């Protein structure tokens, strides 16, 4: 019998998975109960999707798979996890408030893995709990890759410390979506480290029909074009891009690699232009968010850098769509994005998804008819919570400015009322 391959020659990145079951399951239940059920009962499916990696990426081998759960509440899910190769660690409530020992057990096991002989190269922490920020800092200091799987609002410092973040909507797509969405999920969620224009790389390959459409569109445009409009033209030319933008995961990544003088900037909501005639200095001043409190919040948190008018249009379009008929979350984000573009207040689909997610986190329900003011109240509560997690402090005037901006003016007296 031949000797086994040396550790360094075995295929795949050596990885470890640590799952805070209670945190993830609770977060998913608020977003998508069906996805929460799949998370709890079929961990093998989504773990393998993460292990596969994206196109051209090295796969992962999860040498350690740990799941920490409260056996009093979730013991019925234990067999699914042990069958999927996870080590299940019981973490019952230790206090009258329900605080369990998950945090300390997860941290101790993760530190053992960090110093272990297996030399784990990438650590996955499935939890939105900011208490793990210090743990992720230790991974980073040891020069190990870290990925956070979130199913809830994530503190800005926790998010920025990780190398990549699987956002709630990305994780739900893995749990509910197609194989292609799953494979490219991690590749498309790298945490941005800088803003500004993304220089499009020149390419010697033949442009696709959609890329030609975009190139010709921006070459004849009188100025920079909002990204949502460019995405419309690309999808009309090639509907298959809707799945994962040709393997790029996101529109911005796809359009930035077209080349041929096409440049893209994610700043100010996303813009595309012809580099031979324009630059980022030519972006419309109207694309800037309001100065002061709005700019601070957009920079410190992940709240989309939209104007109050854009937020108002987004929330009103969302309310109108919810009144018409029940739609799934993906379809709702597409329809709202299209409505905003048609109304002359274009926003990106990712911004719409972020707002929808925030509304759900704050207790709103997509299954119920909510007025624009009610949606604004829920969304604003979420923004305020993100600011709290980021340790931002405001005086009374700034708090009012924040509500006026995030709520698009819908929370002011006479704007239609609110349940908040």
């Amino acid at each position: 019998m031949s000797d086994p391959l040396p550790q360094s020659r075995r295929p795949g990145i050596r990885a470890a998975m640590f799952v805070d079951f209670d945190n993830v399951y609770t977060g998913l239940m608020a977003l998508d109960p069906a996805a929460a059920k799949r998370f709890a009962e079929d961990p093998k499916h989504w773990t393998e999707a993460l292990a596969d990696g994206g196109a051209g990426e090295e796969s992962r081998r999860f040498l350690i798979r740990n799941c920490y759960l409260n056996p009093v509440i979730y013991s019925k899910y234990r067999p699914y996890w042990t069958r999927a190769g996870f080590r299940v660690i019981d973490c019952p409530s230790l206090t009258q408030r329900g605080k369990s020992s998950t945090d300390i057990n997860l941290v101790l096991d993760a530190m053992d893995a960090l110093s272990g002989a297996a030399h784990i190269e990438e650590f996955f922490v499935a939890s939105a709990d900011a208490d793990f920020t210090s743990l992720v800092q230790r991974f980073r200091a040891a020069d190990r890759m870290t990925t956070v799987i979130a199913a809830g609002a994530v503190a800005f410092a926790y998010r920025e410390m990780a190398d990549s973040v699987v956002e709630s909507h990305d994780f739900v797509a893995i749990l509910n979506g197609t194989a292609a969405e799953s494979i490219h999920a991690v590749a498309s969620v790298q945490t941005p480290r800088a803003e500004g224009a993304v220089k499009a790389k020149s390419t010697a390959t033949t442009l696709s029909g959609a890329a030609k459409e975009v190139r010709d569109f921006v070459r004849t445009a009188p100025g920079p074009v909002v990204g949502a409009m460019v995405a419309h033209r690309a999808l009309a030319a090639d509907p298959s891009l809707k799945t994962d933008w040709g393997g790029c995961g996101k529109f911005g990544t796809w359009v930035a690699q077209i080349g041929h003088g096409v440049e893209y900037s994610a700043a100010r909501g996303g813009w595309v232009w012809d580099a031979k005639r324009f630059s980022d200095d030519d972006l419309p001043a109207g694309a800037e968010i309001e100065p002061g409190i709005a700019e601070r919040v957009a920079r410190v948190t992940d709240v989309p850098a939209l104007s109050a008018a854009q937020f108002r249009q987004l929330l009103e379009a969302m309310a109108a769509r919810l009144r018409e008929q029940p739609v799934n979350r993906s379809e709702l984000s597409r329809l709202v994005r299209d409505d905003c573009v048609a109304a002359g207040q274009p926003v990106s689909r990712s911004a719409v998804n972020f707002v929808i997610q925030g509304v759900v986190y704050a207790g709103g329900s997509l299954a119920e008819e909510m007025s624009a003011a009610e949606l604004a109240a829920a969304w604003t509560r979420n923004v305020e919570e993100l600011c709290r997690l980021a340790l931002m402090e405001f005086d009374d005037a700034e708090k009012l400015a924040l509500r006026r901006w995030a709520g698009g003016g819908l929370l002011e007296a006479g704007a239609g009322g609110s349940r908040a």
Side-chain angles (χ1 to χ4, degrees):
M1 183 179 295
S2 60
D3 293 334
L5 288 172
Q7 181 75 18
S8 61
R9 293 180 58 194
R10 292 177 185 173
I13 298 170
R14 295 187 294 278
M17 172 74 74
F18 300 91
V19 180
D20 181 349
F21 183 96
D22 302 27
N23 181 278
V24 177
Y25 183 78
T26 302
L28 288 173
M29 281 297 292
L31 288 172
D32 188 329
K37 188 174 188 296
R38 293 187 180 97
F39 161 77
E41 297 182 357
D42 192 9
K44 182 179 180 181
H45 165 72
W46 59 264
T47 304
E48 289 182 347
L50 293 173
D52 286 341
E57 288 196 343
E58 192 174 357
S59 61
R60 299 174 179 83
R61 290 185 301 122
F62 285 107
L63 304 183
I64 297 173
R65 302 183 184 193
N66 286 0
C67 173
Y68 305 82
L69 61 73
N70 186 334
V72 176
I73 305 174
Y74 301 117
S75 61
K76 65 179 180 180
Y77 295 118
R78 174 191 294 276
Y80 300 110
W81 290 76
T82 55
R83 182 179 179 184
F86 276 80
R87 169 178 169 241
V88 179
I89 297 91
D90 287 339
C91 299
S93 298
L94 301 177
T95 68
Q96 291 182 344
R97 292 186 177 183
K99 181 66 174 177
S100 74
S101 58
T102 290
D103 291 10
I104 187 63
N105 280 316
L106 192 156
V107 169
L108 289 173
D109 289 342
M111 291 304 296
D112 285 344
L114 181 62
S115 60
H119 190 74
I120 299 298
E121 298 169 289
E122 184 172 9
F123 287 83
F124 282 70
V125 178
S127 178
D129 191 342
D131 287 348
F132 295 121
T133 302
S134 296
L135 177 63
V136 175
Q137 286 177 327
R138 293 295 294 270
F139 295 152
R140 193 178 185 90
D143 194 22
R144 310 296 172 86
M145 295 290 292
T146 57
T147 296
V148 168
I149 301 175
V154 182
F156 190 72
Y158 184 32
R159 177 190 300 277
E160 286 298 295
M161 192 54 60
D163 292 292
S164 59
V165 178
V166 180
E167 300 284 1
S168 299
H169 56 272
D170 291 314
F171 194 38
V172 168
I174 294 175
L175 294 165
N176 293 343
T178 64
E181 289 172 328
S182 299
I183 290 173
H184 295 295
V186 176
S188 66
V189 294
Q190 290 298 320
T191 304
R193 297 298 177 190
E195 296 182 354
V198 178
K199 300 294 183 180
K201 298 179 181 179
S202 61
T203 175
T205 59
T206 303
L207 287 178
S208 66
K212 288 180 180 178
E213 173 69 21
V214 168
R215 181 198 60 188
D216 295 343
F217 181 44
V218 299
R219 280 183 176 179
T220 58
V225 185
V226 69
M229 293 183 177
V230 177
H232 268 293
R233 301 294 289 259
L235 290 173
D238 184 0
S240 69
L241 291 174
K242 180 179 179 181
T243 303
D244 65 350
W245 287 102
C248 294
K250 296 182 179 180
F251 165 72
T253 306
W254 177 81
V255 75
Q257 55 81 45
I258 290 177
H260 297 270
V262 175
E263 287 194 8
Y264 170 77
S265 171
R268 309 176 191 179
W271 291 81
V272 185
W273 63 87
D274 177 10
K276 295 180 180 179
R277 297 182 295 140
F278 307 107
S279 71
D280 53 357
D281 292 333
D282 296 302
L283 296 187
E288 294 280 7
I289 64 171
E290 298 173 3
I293 190 66
E295 185 177 5
R296 284 173 55 196
V297 172
R299 287 181 177 179
V300 176
T301 72
D302 286 330
V303 173
L306 305 181
S307 67
Q310 286 174 309
F311 276 129
R312 185 182 188 112
Q313 181 58 51
L314 190 161
L315 293 163
E316 289 179 339
M318 185 175 168
R321 289 296 179 179
L322 290 176
R323 284 196 301 269
E324 290 181 358
Q325 59 182 6
V327 292
N328 62 44
R329 179 170 169 171
S330 177
E331 185 69 5
L332 178 62
S333 67
R334 182 186 67 79
L335 291 171
V336 171
R337 186 273 312 273
D338 293 350
D339 291 343
C340 290
V341 172
Q345 292 288 355
V347 299
S348 68
R349 192 167 178 180
S350 62
V352 177
N353 269 320
F354 195 97
V355 173
I356 292 174
Q357 179 174 286
V359 168
V360 174
Y361 283 161
S365 173
L366 303 185
E368 299 177 2
E369 181 179 316
M370 297 179 69
S371 69
E374 289 169 339
L375 291 170
W379 161 243
T380 302
R381 287 198 301 273
N382 179 72
V383 174
E384 291 170 338
E385 174 64 10
L386 291 175
C387 292
R388 186 189 68 79
L389 292 172
L391 303 180
M392 298 186 72
E393 297 182 357
F394 308 117
D395 59 29
D396 290 342
E398 289 172 328
K399 290 177 181 178
L400 288 174
L402 172 64
R403 290 177 61 81
R404 187 178 302 114
W405 166 64
L410 292 166
L411 301 182
E412 298 175 359
S418 169
R419 286 190 295 203

